[in-house]
Amino acid sequence: MVVVLKKNTDEAQVENLVNWLKSLNIDVHRSNGEYETVLGLVGDTSHVDIDLVSSLDIVDNVTRISEPYKSANRKFHPDDTVIDINGYKIGGGNFQYIAGPCSVESEEQICSIASDVKAAGANMLRGGAFKPRTSPYAFQGMRGDGLKLLEEAKKQTGMPIVTEIMDISHLDLFENVDVIQVGARNMQNFELLKELGHTDKPILLKRGLANTMQELLMSAEYIMAGGNEKVILCERGIRTFETYTRNTLDISAVPLLKEKTHLPVIVDPSHAAGIARLVRPLSLAAVAAGADGLMIEVHNDPAHALCDGPQALTPPQFAEVVKKAEAIRSAMCD
Ligand code: PEP
Ligand code: MN
């Protein structure tokens, strides 16, 4: 339920209302906007008499909202959330390129890709150390050693690192990681989400392979309900009947999510397409749709990559994407 207060209301009366609502076991999130003050009521509001609240002198209007997510809801937080990652901001008009290999394979590989993608315009380095693979016989990632190599690449380039966590028991190893990624397969691992809600690190939450936008927002809500409001949403393609691509990039998720939530929304065209030559057009579509960033897989030798080579761009191809994406971004500002 959302209660919009009248302008210039008496603070004591607002306090009375808030205290009364709290006595009904309802959490009240207050947002003091420039033009209006909004109270977001979280909890079981079924026993709140909407007519009674509407009739109060200080209340302008009351709406019962159907969305079950509150913290992530733009209605309670009209302004875009801006997340600062070591000085690199994302959201609210700030755009970031996150690039790097699917998985960390060696020191030479990750450090050379890191310096190449940085030179091409990336601000953050991605690379999986713990890999969620369909086959137990496929390369599972370098695990803790891979995290150490990411730290080395960060030391050499100054780029913040983004990498996936698969099990909360590994959290201690992520101490020097700047953004913790929750992959598509773990989007509804609720125990993992709850624990990440108790950390203060930005979380890059990917949409599940077969999840709705509302389910993605509910997963963000799990993290936020624990106190961690630094969530970046990532559209990475969903399963459809189409077989020409690995997944189907749901481009409509970008403007729609941005309507529903104040959280930054980025796009991963690499896992959506599964085909390197589609990464550029999908990236440009994502930028045009209003995404706050791109996460792109880049490899110095895609043909020999241990994971996801067919969708990896080379550093020069990535540089071309950045150049074109920047042209679209400036055209959009005009
Ligand atoms: C990844 O980003 O390396 C990854 C495994 O992606 P997703 O969870 O979207 O499949
Ligand atoms: Mn991958």
Side-chain angles (χ1 to χ4, degrees), residues 84-161:
D84 191 314
I85 302 149
N86 301 357
Y88 296 99
K89 294 196 171 100
I90 188 158
N94 302 284
F95 191 97
Q96 297 297 340
Y97 296 92
I98 305 169
C102 180
S103 54
V104 179
E105 298 172 10
S106 69
E107 179 168 345
E108 205 211 326
Q109 177 245 19
I110 191 67
C111 291
S112 89
I113 295 174
S115 93
D116 286 350
V117 295
K118 184 179 179 183
N123 320 99
M124 286 184 238
L125 176 67
R126 64 147 287 146
F130 292 90
K131 293 302 308 174
R133 304 304 301 276
T134 301
S135 165
Y137 309 115
F139 176 57
Q140 302 288 306
M142 293 184 72
R143 303 172 69 84
D145 291 342
L147 293 179
K148 290 262 167 311
L149 298 183
L150 281 167
E151 286 174 29
E152 178 56 33
K154 173 179 167 179
K155 206 155 81 189
Q156 291 184 17
T157 59
M159 275 196 289
I161 50 181

Coordinates of all heavy atoms in Angstrom, one line a residue, residues 84-161:
D84 N 27.9 2.9 -6.7 CA 29.3 3.3 -6.9 C 30.2 2.2 -6.7 O 30.2 1.6 -5.6 CB 29.6 4.5 -6.0 CG 30.9 5.2 -6.3 OD1 31.9 4.4 -6.5 OD2 30.9 6.4 -6.3
I85 N 30.9 1.8 -7.7 CA 31.8 0.6 -7.6 C 33.2 1.2 -7.8 O 33.7 1.4 -8.9 CB 31.5 -0.5 -8.7 CG1 30.0 -0.9 -8.5 CG2 32.5 -1.6 -8.5 CD1 29.4 -1.3 -9.8
N86 N 33.9 1.4 -6.6 CA 35.2 2.0 -6.6 C 35.3 3.2 -7.5 O 36.3 3.4 -8.3 CB 36.3 1.0 -7.1 CG 36.3 -0.3 -6.3 OD1 35.6 -0.4 -5.3 ND2 37.2 -1.2 -6.7
G87 N 34.3 4.1 -7.5 CA 34.4 5.3 -8.2 C 33.7 5.2 -9.6 O 33.4 6.2 -10.3
Y88 N 33.4 4.0 -10.0 CA 32.6 3.8 -11.3 C 31.2 3.7 -10.9 O 30.8 2.8 -10.2 CB 33.1 2.5 -12.0 CG 34.5 2.6 -12.5 CD1 35.5 2.0 -11.8 CD2 34.9 3.3 -13.6 CE1 36.8 2.0 -12.2 CE2 36.2 3.4 -14.0 CZ 37.2 2.8 -13.3 OH 38.4 2.8 -13.7
K89 N 30.4 4.6 -11.5 CA 29.0 4.7 -11.1 C 28.1 4.0 -12.2 O 28.4 4.1 -13.4 CB 28.5 6.1 -11.0 CG 29.1 6.8 -9.8 CD 28.4 8.1 -9.5 CE 28.9 8.7 -8.2 NZ 29.8 9.8 -8.4
I90 N 27.1 3.3 -11.7 CA 26.2 2.7 -12.7 C 24.7 3.0 -12.2 O 24.4 3.0 -11.1 CB 26.4 1.2 -12.7 CG1 25.6 0.5 -13.8 CG2 26.2 0.4 -11.4 CD1 26.1 -0.8 -14.3
G91 N 23.9 3.4 -13.2 CA 22.5 3.8 -13.0 C 22.4 5.3 -13.0 O 23.4 6.0 -12.9
G92 N 21.1 5.7 -13.2 CA 20.9 7.2 -13.1 C 21.6 7.9 -14.2 O 22.2 9.0 -14.0
G93 N 21.7 7.3 -15.4 CA 22.5 8.0 -16.5 C 23.9 7.6 -16.6 O 24.6 8.0 -17.5
N94 N 24.4 6.9 -15.6 CA 25.8 6.4 -15.6 C 25.9 5.0 -16.3 O 25.2 4.1 -15.8 CB 26.4 6.3 -14.2 CG 26.3 7.7 -13.5 OD1 27.1 8.5 -13.8 ND2 25.4 7.8 -12.6
F95 N 26.7 4.8 -17.3 CA 26.7 3.6 -18.1 C 28.1 2.9 -17.9 O 29.1 3.6 -17.9 CB 26.5 4.0 -19.5 CG 26.3 2.8 -20.5 CD1 25.0 2.4 -20.8 CD2 27.4 2.1 -21.0 CE1 24.8 1.4 -21.7 CE2 27.2 1.0 -21.8 CZ 25.9 0.6 -22.2
Q96 N 28.1 1.6 -17.7 CA 29.4 0.9 -17.6 C 29.5 -0.3 -18.5 O 28.5 -0.9 -18.8 CB 29.5 0.4 -16.2 CG 29.6 1.4 -15.1 CD 30.8 2.4 -15.2 OE1 31.8 2.1 -15.8 NE2 30.7 3.6 -14.6
Y97 N 30.7 -0.5 -19.0 CA 31.0 -1.7 -19.8 C 31.8 -2.7 -18.9 O 32.8 -2.3 -18.4 CB 31.9 -1.3 -21.0 CG 31.2 -0.4 -22.0 CD1 31.4 1.0 -21.9 CD2 30.5 -0.9 -23.0 CE1 30.8 1.8 -22.8 CE2 29.9 0.0 -24.0 CZ 30.0 1.3 -23.8 OH 29.4 2.2 -24.7
I98 N 31.2 -3.9 -18.8 CA 31.9 -4.9 -18.0 C 32.3 -6.0 -19.1 O 31.5 -6.5 -19.8 CB 30.9 -5.6 -17.0 CG1 30.3 -4.5 -16.1 CG2 31.6 -6.7 -16.2 CD1 29.1 -5.0 -15.3
A99 N 33.6 -6.3 -19.1 CA 34.0 -7.2 -20.2 C 35.1 -8.1 -19.7 O 35.8 -7.8 -18.7 CB 34.6 -6.4 -21.4
G100 N 35.2 -9.2 -20.3 CA 36.3 -10.2 -19.9 C 35.8 -11.6 -20.3 O 34.7 -11.8 -20.9
P101 N 36.6 -12.6 -20.1 CA 36.3 -13.9 -20.5 C 35.2 -14.6 -19.7 O 34.9 -14.1 -18.6 CB 37.7 -14.7 -20.3 CG 38.3 -14.0 -19.1 CD 37.9 -12.5 -19.3
C102 N 34.7 -15.6 -20.3 CA 33.7 -16.4 -19.6 C 34.3 -16.9 -18.3 O 33.8 -16.7 -17.2 CB 33.2 -17.6 -20.5 SG 32.0 -18.6 -19.6
S103 N 35.5 -17.5 -18.5 CA 36.2 -18.0 -17.3 C 37.7 -17.7 -17.2 O 38.3 -17.5 -18.3 CB 36.0 -19.6 -17.2 OG 36.5 -20.2 -18.3
V104 N 38.2 -17.5 -16.0 CA 39.6 -17.3 -15.8 C 40.3 -18.6 -16.1 O 39.9 -19.6 -15.6 CB 39.9 -16.9 -14.4 CG1 41.3 -16.6 -14.2 CG2 39.0 -15.7 -14.0
E105 N 41.3 -18.5 -17.0 CA 42.0 -19.7 -17.4 C 43.5 -19.8 -17.0 O 44.0 -20.8 -16.8 CB 41.9 -19.9 -18.9 CG 40.5 -20.0 -19.4 CD 40.4 -20.0 -21.0 OE1 41.4 -20.0 -21.6 OE2 39.2 -19.9 -21.4
S106 N 44.1 -18.6 -16.9 CA 45.5 -18.5 -16.5 C 45.8 -17.1 -16.2 O 45.1 -16.2 -16.6 CB 46.4 -19.0 -17.6 OG 46.4 -18.1 -18.7
E107 N 47.0 -16.8 -15.6 CA 47.3 -15.4 -15.2 C 47.5 -14.6 -16.5 O 47.1 -13.5 -16.7 CB 48.6 -15.4 -14.4 CG 49.0 -14.0 -14.1 CD 50.1 -13.9 -13.0 OE1 50.3 -14.9 -12.3 OE2 50.7 -12.8 -12.9
E108 N 48.2 -15.3 -17.5 CA 48.5 -14.5 -18.7 C 47.2 -14.2 -19.4 O 47.0 -13.1 -19.9 CB 49.4 -15.4 -19.6 CG 50.2 -14.6 -20.5 CD 50.5 -15.4 -21.8 OE1 50.6 -16.6 -21.7 OE2 50.5 -14.7 -22.9
Q109 N 46.3 -15.2 -19.5 CA 45.0 -15.0 -20.2 C 44.3 -13.8 -19.6 O 43.9 -12.9 -20.2 CB 44.2 -16.3 -20.2 CG 42.8 -16.1 -20.8 CD 41.7 -16.3 -19.8 OE1 41.9 -16.2 -18.6 NE2 40.5 -16.6 -20.3
I110 N 44.0 -13.9 -18.2 CA 43.2 -12.9 -17.6 C 43.8 -11.5 -17.6 O 43.1 -10.5 -17.9 CB 42.7 -13.3 -16.2 CG1 41.5 -12.4 -15.7 CG2 43.8 -13.4 -15.2 CD1 40.2 -12.5 -16.5
C111 N 45.1 -11.5 -17.4 CA 45.8 -10.1 -17.4 C 45.9 -9.5 -18.7 O 45.7 -8.3 -18.9 CB 47.2 -10.2 -16.7 SG 47.0 -10.6 -14.9
S112 N 46.1 -10.3 -19.8 CA 46.2 -9.7 -21.1 C 44.8 -9.3 -21.6 O 44.6 -8.2 -22.1 CB 46.9 -10.6 -22.1 OG 46.0 -11.4 -22.7
I113 N 43.8 -10.1 -21.3 CA 42.4 -9.6 -21.7 C 42.0 -8.4 -20.9 O 41.4 -7.5 -21.5 CB 41.4 -10.8 -21.5 CG1 41.7 -12.0 -22.4 CG2 40.0 -10.3 -21.7 CD1 40.8 -13.2 -22.2
A114 N 42.4 -8.4 -19.6 CA 42.0 -7.2 -18.8 C 42.6 -5.9 -19.4 O 41.9 -4.9 -19.5 CB 42.5 -7.4 -17.3
S115 N 43.9 -6.0 -19.8 CA 44.5 -4.7 -20.3 C 43.9 -4.4 -21.7 O 43.7 -3.2 -22.0 CB 46.0 -4.8 -20.2 OG 46.5 -5.2 -21.4
D116 N 43.6 -5.4 -22.5 CA 43.0 -5.1 -23.8 C 41.6 -4.5 -23.6 O 41.2 -3.6 -24.4 CB 42.8 -6.5 -24.6 CG 44.2 -6.9 -25.1 OD1 45.2 -6.1 -25.0 OD2 44.3 -8.1 -25.6
V117 N 40.7 -5.1 -22.8 CA 39.4 -4.6 -22.7 C 39.4 -3.2 -22.0 O 38.6 -2.3 -22.4 CB 38.4 -5.5 -22.0 CG1 38.2 -6.8 -22.7 CG2 38.7 -5.8 -20.5
K118 N 40.3 -3.0 -21.1 CA 40.4 -1.6 -20.6 C 40.8 -0.6 -21.7 O 40.2 0.5 -21.8 CB 41.5 -1.6 -19.4 CG 41.6 -0.3 -18.8 CD 42.6 -0.2 -17.7 CE 42.6 1.2 -17.0 NZ 43.6 1.3 -16.0
A119 N 41.8 -1.0 -22.5 CA 42.2 -0.1 -23.6 C 41.0 0.2 -24.5 O 40.9 1.3 -25.1 CB 43.4 -0.7 -24.3
A120 N 40.1 -0.8 -24.6 CA 39.0 -0.7 -25.6 C 37.9 0.1 -25.0 O 36.9 0.4 -25.7 CB 38.5 -2.0 -26.0
G121 N 37.9 0.4 -23.7 CA 36.8 1.2 -23.1 C 36.1 0.6 -21.9 O 35.1 1.2 -21.4
A122 N 36.4 -0.7 -21.6 CA 35.7 -1.3 -20.4 C 36.2 -0.7 -19.1 O 37.3 -0.2 -19.0 CB 36.0 -2.8 -20.4
N123 N 35.2 -0.6 -18.2 CA 35.6 -0.1 -16.9 C 35.7 -1.1 -15.8 O 36.2 -0.9 -14.7 CB 34.5 0.9 -16.4 CG 34.0 1.8 -17.6 OD1 33.0 1.5 -18.2 ND2 34.8 2.8 -17.9
M124 N 35.1 -2.3 -16.1 CA 35.1 -3.4 -15.1 C 35.5 -4.7 -15.8 O 35.1 -4.9 -17.0 CB 33.8 -3.5 -14.4 CG 33.5 -2.4 -13.4 SD 32.0 -2.7 -12.6 CE 31.2 -1.2 -13.0
L125 N 36.1 -5.6 -15.0 CA 36.6 -6.8 -15.6 C 35.7 -8.0 -15.1 O 35.4 -8.1 -13.9 CB 38.0 -7.1 -15.1 CG 38.6 -8.4 -15.6 CD1 38.8 -8.5 -17.1 CD2 39.9 -8.7 -14.9
R126 N 35.2 -8.8 -16.0 CA 34.4 -10.0 -15.6 C 35.3 -11.2 -15.8 O 36.3 -11.2 -16.6 CB 33.1 -10.1 -16.3 CG 33.2 -10.3 -17.8 CD 32.1 -11.2 -18.4 NE 32.3 -12.6 -18.0 CZ 31.3 -13.5 -17.7 NH1 30.1 -13.1 -17.8 NH2 31.6 -14.7 -17.4
G127 N 34.9 -12.3 -15.2 CA 35.7 -13.6 -15.4 C 35.2 -14.5 -14.4 O 35.1 -14.2 -13.2
G128 N 34.8 -15.7 -14.8 CA 34.2 -16.7 -13.9 C 35.4 -17.5 -13.3 O 36.2 -18.0 -14.0
A129 N 35.3 -17.7 -11.9 CA 36.2 -18.6 -11.3 C 35.5 -19.9 -10.9 O 36.0 -21.0 -11.0 CB 36.8 -17.9 -10.0
F130 N 34.3 -19.7 -10.4 CA 33.4 -20.8 -10.1 C 32.4 -20.9 -11.3 O 31.6 -19.9 -11.5 CB 32.7 -20.6 -8.8 CG 33.6 -20.7 -7.6 CD1 34.2 -19.5 -7.1 CD2 33.9 -21.9 -7.0 CE1 35.1 -19.6 -6.0 CE2 34.7 -22.0 -5.9 CZ 35.3 -20.8 -5.4
K131 N 32.4 -21.9 -12.1 CA 31.6 -21.9 -13.3 C 30.4 -22.9 -13.2 O 30.6 -24.1 -12.9 CB 32.4 -22.4 -14.5 CG 33.5 -21.4 -14.9 CD 33.0 -20.0 -15.3 CE 31.8 -20.0 -16.3 NZ 31.3 -18.6 -16.5
P132 N 29.2 -22.5 -13.4 CA 28.1 -23.4 -13.4 C 28.0 -24.0 -14.8 O 27.5 -23.5 -15.8 CB 26.9 -22.4 -13.2 CG 27.3 -21.1 -13.8 CD 28.8 -21.1 -13.8
R133 N 28.4 -25.2 -14.9 CA 28.4 -25.9 -16.3 C 27.3 -27.0 -16.3 O 27.1 -27.7 -15.3 CB 29.8 -26.6 -16.5 CG 31.0 -25.6 -16.5 CD 30.9 -24.4 -17.4 NE 30.7 -24.8 -18.8 CZ 31.8 -25.1 -19.6 NH1 33.0 -25.0 -19.2 NH2 31.6 -25.4 -20.9
T134 N 26.7 -27.2 -17.4 CA 25.7 -28.2 -17.6 C 26.3 -29.6 -17.4 O 25.6 -30.4 -16.8 CB 25.1 -28.1 -19.0 OG1 24.5 -26.7 -19.1 CG2 23.9 -29.1 -19.2
S135 N 27.5 -29.8 -17.9 CA 28.1 -31.1 -17.7 C 29.1 -31.1 -16.6 O 30.0 -30.2 -16.5 CB 28.8 -31.5 -19.0 OG 29.7 -32.6 -18.7
P136 N 29.1 -32.1 -15.7 CA 30.1 -32.2 -14.6 C 31.5 -32.5 -15.2 O 32.4 -32.4 -14.5 CB 29.5 -33.4 -13.8 CG 28.7 -34.2 -14.7 CD 28.1 -33.2 -15.7
Y137 N 31.5 -32.9 -16.5 CA 32.8 -33.2 -17.0 C 33.5 -32.0 -17.7 O 34.6 -32.1 -18.1 CB 32.7 -34.4 -18.1 CG 32.0 -35.5 -17.5 CD1 30.7 -35.9 -18.0 CD2 32.5 -36.2 -16.3 CE1 30.0 -37.0 -17.4 CE2 31.8 -37.3 -15.8 CZ 30.5 -37.6 -16.3 OH 29.9 -38.6 -15.7
A138 N 32.7 -30.9 -17.9 CA 33.2 -29.7 -18.5 C 34.1 -29.0 -17.5 O 34.0 -29.2 -16.2 CB 32.1 -28.8 -19.0
F139 N 34.9 -28.1 -18.0 CA 35.8 -27.2 -17.1 C 35.0 -26.5 -16.1 O 34.0 -25.8 -16.4 CB 36.5 -26.2 -18.0 CG 37.4 -25.2 -17.3 CD1 38.4 -25.6 -16.4 CD2 37.2 -23.9 -17.5 CE1 39.2 -24.7 -15.8 CE2 38.0 -22.9 -16.8 CZ 39.0 -23.3 -16.0
Q140 N 35.3 -26.7 -14.8 CA 34.5 -26.1 -13.7 C 35.0 -24.8 -13.2 O 34.5 -24.3 -12.2 CB 34.4 -27.1 -12.6 CG 33.9 -28.5 -12.9 CD 32.4 -28.5 -13.2 OE1 31.6 -28.1 -12.3 NE2 32.0 -29.0 -14.4
G141 N 36.1 -24.3 -13.8 CA 36.6 -23.0 -13.3 C 37.8 -23.3 -12.4 O 38.0 -24.4 -11.9
M142 N 38.6 -22.2 -12.2 CA 39.8 -22.4 -11.4 C 39.5 -22.1 -9.9 O 40.4 -22.1 -9.1 CB 40.9 -21.4 -11.9 CG 41.4 -21.7 -13.3 SD 42.8 -20.6 -13.7 CE 44.1 -21.2 -12.7
R143 N 38.3 -21.8 -9.6 CA 37.8 -21.7 -8.3 C 38.7 -20.7 -7.5 O 38.9 -19.6 -8.0 CB 37.7 -23.1 -7.6 CG 36.8 -24.0 -8.4 CD 36.9 -25.4 -7.9 NE 36.2 -25.6 -6.6 CZ 35.0 -25.7 -6.4 NH1 34.1 -25.8 -7.4 NH2 34.5 -25.9 -5.2
G144 N 39.1 -21.0 -6.3 CA 39.8 -20.0 -5.5 C 41.0 -19.4 -6.2 O 41.4 -18.2 -6.1
D145 N 41.7 -20.3 -6.9 CA 42.9 -19.8 -7.7 C 42.5 -18.8 -8.7 O 43.3 -17.8 -9.0 CB 43.6 -21.0 -8.4 CG 44.3 -21.9 -7.3 OD1 44.5 -21.5 -6.2 OD2 44.6 -23.1 -7.7
G146 N 41.4 -19.0 -9.3 CA 40.9 -18.1 -10.3 C 40.6 -16.7 -9.7 O 40.9 -15.6 -10.3
L147 N 40.0 -16.7 -8.5 CA 39.8 -15.4 -7.8 C 41.1 -14.7 -7.6 O 41.2 -13.4 -7.7 CB 39.1 -15.6 -6.5 CG 37.6 -16.2 -6.6 CD1 37.0 -16.4 -5.2 CD2 36.7 -15.2 -7.4
K148 N 42.1 -15.4 -7.2 CA 43.5 -14.8 -7.0 C 44.0 -14.1 -8.3 O 44.5 -13.0 -8.3 CB 44.5 -15.8 -6.5 CG 44.2 -16.3 -5.1 CD 45.1 -15.6 -4.1 CE 44.8 -15.8 -2.7 NZ 43.4 -15.6 -2.3
L149 N 43.7 -14.8 -9.4 CA 44.2 -14.3 -10.7 C 43.4 -13.0 -11.0 O 44.0 -12.1 -11.6 CB 44.1 -15.3 -11.8 CG 45.0 -16.5 -11.5 CD1 44.9 -17.5 -12.7 CD2 46.5 -16.1 -11.3
L150 N 42.1 -13.0 -10.7 CA 41.3 -11.8 -11.0 C 41.9 -10.6 -10.1 O 42.0 -9.5 -10.6 CB 39.9 -12.1 -10.6 CG 39.0 -12.8 -11.6 CD1 37.7 -13.3 -11.0 CD2 38.8 -12.0 -12.9
E151 N 42.2 -11.0 -8.9 CA 42.8 -9.9 -8.0 C 44.1 -9.4 -8.6 O 44.4 -8.2 -8.6 CB 43.1 -10.4 -6.6 CG 41.8 -10.6 -5.8 CD 42.0 -11.3 -4.5 OE1 43.1 -11.2 -3.9 OE2 41.1 -12.0 -4.0
E152 N 44.9 -10.2 -9.2 CA 46.1 -9.8 -9.8 C 45.8 -8.9 -11.0 O 46.4 -7.8 -11.2 CB 46.9 -11.1 -10.3 CG 48.2 -10.8 -11.0 CD 49.2 -9.9 -10.2 OE1 49.2 -10.0 -9.0 OE2 49.9 -9.1 -10.8
A153 N 44.8 -9.3 -11.8 CA 44.5 -8.4 -13.0 C 43.9 -7.1 -12.5 O 44.2 -6.1 -13.2 CB 43.4 -9.2 -13.8
K154 N 43.2 -7.1 -11.4 CA 42.7 -5.8 -10.8 C 43.9 -5.0 -10.4 O 43.9 -3.7 -10.6 CB 41.8 -6.2 -9.6 CG 41.3 -5.0 -8.8 CD 40.4 -5.5 -7.7 CE 40.1 -4.4 -6.7 NZ 39.2 -4.9 -5.6
K155 N 44.9 -5.6 -9.8 CA 46.1 -4.9 -9.3 C 46.8 -4.2 -10.5 O 47.2 -3.1 -10.5 CB 47.0 -5.8 -8.6 CG 47.9 -5.1 -7.6 CD 48.4 -6.0 -6.5 CE 49.6 -6.9 -7.0 NZ 49.9 -8.0 -6.1
Q156 N 46.9 -5.0 -11.6 CA 47.6 -4.5 -12.8 C 46.8 -3.4 -13.6 O 47.5 -2.5 -14.1 CB 47.9 -5.6 -13.8 CG 49.0 -6.6 -13.2 CD 49.3 -7.6 -14.2 OE1 49.1 -7.5 -15.4 NE2 50.0 -8.7 -13.7
T157 N 45.5 -3.5 -13.6 CA 44.7 -2.5 -14.4 C 43.9 -1.5 -13.6 O 43.5 -0.5 -14.2 CB 43.7 -3.3 -15.3 OG1 42.8 -4.0 -14.4 CG2 44.4 -4.3 -16.2
G158 N 43.7 -1.8 -12.4 CA 42.9 -0.9 -11.5 C 41.4 -1.1 -11.8 O 40.6 -0.4 -11.2
M159 N 41.0 -2.1 -12.6 CA 39.6 -2.3 -12.9 C 38.9 -3.1 -11.8 O 39.5 -4.2 -11.4 CB 39.5 -3.1 -14.2 CG 39.5 -2.2 -15.4 SD 38.8 -3.1 -16.8 CE 40.1 -4.2 -17.1
P160 N 37.8 -2.7 -11.3 CA 37.0 -3.5 -10.4 C 36.7 -4.9 -11.0 O 36.5 -4.9 -12.2 CB 35.7 -2.7 -10.1 CG 36.0 -1.3 -10.6 CD 37.1 -1.5 -11.7
I161 N 36.5 -5.9 -10.2 CA 36.2 -7.2 -10.7 C 34.8 -7.7 -10.4 O 34.3 -7.5 -9.3 CB 37.3 -8.3 -10.3 CG1 37.6 -8.2 -8.8 CG2 38.6 -8.0 -11.1 CD1 38.7 -9.2 -8.4

